[in-house]
Amino acid sequence: MTRAVVKRKINKIRSAFAEELPDNLEVLAGALRAGHSLIGAMGVMVDGATEPSKSEFRRVPQDEQ
């Protein structure tokens, strides 16, 4: 019972992340084309992202700093 609830929640989060990924990658590509560094472009993408993508992608610039 508990395992099913957890699995359902994980699947929901993964599905939301997968749905947001193409838009996030477009923002990242646009920021790179505009001349941002990779970390700067990641920051731009994180600023415009929604959860769960925001919390996942926020780790990259934080780890780099």
Side-chain angles (χ1 to χ4, degrees), residues 13 17 39 42-43 45-47 51-65:
I13 292 170
F17 183 86
I39 297 303
M42 290 290 290
M45 181 184 65
V46 167
D47 290 342
E51 290 299 333
S53 299
K54 188 171 196 157
S55 60
E56 292 297 324
F57 285 123
R58 188 179 310 150
R59 294 180 192 176
V60 176
Q62 287 176 346
D63 288 350
E64 187 62 30
Q65 292 175 355

Side-chain angles (χ1 to χ4, degrees), residues 15-59:
S15 176
F17 183 86
E19 187 175 311
E20 297 168 359
L21 187 59
D23 293 334
N24 291 330
L25 292 177
E26 283 185 32
V27 171
L28 179 66
L32 288 169
R33 275 190 236 111
H36 290 279
S37 66
L38 180 59
I39 297 303
M42 290 290 290
V44 170
M45 181 184 65
V46 167
D47 290 342
T50 58
E51 290 299 333
S53 299
K54 188 171 196 157
S55 60
E56 292 297 324
F57 285 123
R58 188 179 310 150
R59 294 180 192 176

